[in-house]
Amino acid sequence: MTFSNLLKSAVFGLAMLGVTVPAMADQLADIKAKGKIETATDMHYAPFDMIDNGTYEGMTKDLFDAVAKEIGAEPVYQDIPWTAELPGLEVKKFDIIIAPVTITPERLQRYAFTLPIADATVALLRAASNADLKKPEDIKGKTVGVQQGTAQFKQLQAFGDKIGGVNIKEYGTTDEAYADLAAGRLDAVAGSLPNLTYLVKTRPETFAMFDKATFGQPTYFAWVVRKDADSESFVKAINAAMLKMTDDGRVKAIQEKWLGASAELPREVPTK
């Protein structure tokens, strides 16, 4: 007798004895039953998440609106500081983190990631008036801002050690770092390539990319779900929706709307 048949026989036997057998938890079934998906994101991370005149918008919202429709549930969007998102997910304050989270080997061990939604390779931003900074190595001895607790911070730290030292200043949000760069209190800001490209596109009089902007390993952004058996069906449903939207052109259209260009993304979750 196989283990599966043995388990079925045991469950049937318990039922015959009048013993109540609890149903296995299934996050997707629970979401469909309540008709909503509780999400968390930091709404200060343009062009993925932002608030315009009190209204939440951005690439993340457009993507997840479409994914939620495919799943058959209404998304509930919550503005949560980045540093509170992963802890909140673990204690089930929400179903999913839709803030763009960089896939890293360490995080893969603890969380379940969806298919990538965008490139997350770390890059450097300077003031438009500062033409002396051209390549990543030029930040040696300079003061560089970065959002705290991010994969971009870790890559900046490692790169700084490699080139002989960088004065790193951490910020709660990228907007705070951009403001200090514009005010001359920073020499540069490190962040993901699409975020910085969008900022330069919208504020070219204030900011500019380094001539060679990126450094470190190529990485991707994705959404994060709890890594347990309950959540497996939910992750599969999201990935199925994303693949469908990729194949019918919706992902490309949303990328072009918010990033100005589209990129081919992995059809499997990167493992490193």
Side-chain angles (χ1 to χ4, degrees):
M1 181 180 289
T2 66
F3 176 78
S4 176
N5 288 336
L6 183 62
L7 181 60
K8 289 178 181 178
S9 297
V11 171
F12 178 75
L14 289 170
M16 291 296 291
L17 293 172
V19 178
T20 301
V21 181
M24 292 185 66
D26 185 289
Q27 188 178 15
L28 180 61
D30 291 343
I31 284 170
K32 288 187 173 184
K34 66 184 179 182
K36 61 183 180 179
I37 306 173
E38 300 279 354
T39 78
T41 191
D42 180 350
M43 296 181 184
H44 308 276
Y45 203 65
F48 295 95
D49 302 275
M50 57 191 121
I51 298 175
D52 185 18
N53 293 322
T55 301
Y56 171 49
E57 62 177 30
M59 180 175 159
T60 296
K61 184 178 185 300
D62 283 2
L63 280 174
F64 202 77
D65 276 349
V67 167
K69 187 174 181 179
E70 290 290 335
I71 290 174
E74 288 292 324
V76 177
Y77 296 114
Q78 301 175 86
D79 187 9
I80 306 291
W82 161 243
T83 52
E85 289 177 17
L86 292 172
L89 179 71
E90 292 186 6
V91 297
K92 301 185 177 182
K93 285 192 173 182
F94 29 80
D95 298 308
I96 184 172
I97 295 172
I98 58 167
V101 181
T102 305
I103 300 172
T104 67
E106 296 79 15
R107 288 172 178 165
L108 283 166
Q109 293 179 10
R110 189 163 184 170
Y111 305 101
F113 280 83
T114 66
L115 290 175
I117 63 166
D119 185 353
T121 303
V122 65
L124 289 164
L125 179 78
R126 62 175 173 83
S129 59
N130 183 3
D132 294 334
L133 299 177
K134 300 180 182 299
K135 60 185 185 298
E137 290 76 12
D138 291 341
I139 64 172
K140 178 180 178 180
K142 304 295 185 181
T143 301
V144 182
V146 68
Q147 187 176 18
Q148 66 185 40
T150 61
Q152 287 72 35
F153 165 75
K154 289 187 176 180
Q155 289 204 50
L156 175 62
Q157 195 174 45
F159 184 69
D161 292 342
K162 180 180 177 181
I163 64 174
V166 173
N167 179 24
I168 299 174
K169 188 172 180 181
E170 298 177 68
Y171 291 84
T173 70
T174 53
D175 287 345
E176 294 169 332
Y178 302 151
D180 269 5
L181 179 61
R185 289 186 284 269
L186 293 173
D187 296 299
V189 168
S192 70
L193 181 61
N195 298 82
L196 301 188
T197 301
Y198 176 82
L199 182 64
V200 170
K201 177 184 175 183
T202 54
R203 298 177 64 185
E205 74 288 348
T206 305
F207 302 110
M209 303 292 289
F210 280 39
D211 294 345
K212 182 184 181 304
T214 61
F215 65 91
Q217 295 297 316
T219 53
Y220 293 96
F221 280 138
W223 298 326
V224 184
V225 177
R226 288 181 291 277
K227 191 173 185 177
D228 53 37
D230 299 354
S231 303
E232 288 178 2
S233 58
F234 185 36
V235 177
K236 288 179 180 178
I238 293 170
N239 289 345
M242 284 292 293
L243 289 175
K244 180 180 179 181
M245 291 162 53
T246 296
D247 293 340
D248 65 24
R250 280 179 287 171
V251 169
K252 181 176 184 291
I254 292 171
Q255 283 185 333
E256 290 176 344
K257 173 184 175 181
W258 293 103
L259 304 180
S262 63
E264 186 173 344
L265 299 172
R267 295 178 69 90
E268 295 182 353
V269 179
T271 57
K272 60 181 180 178

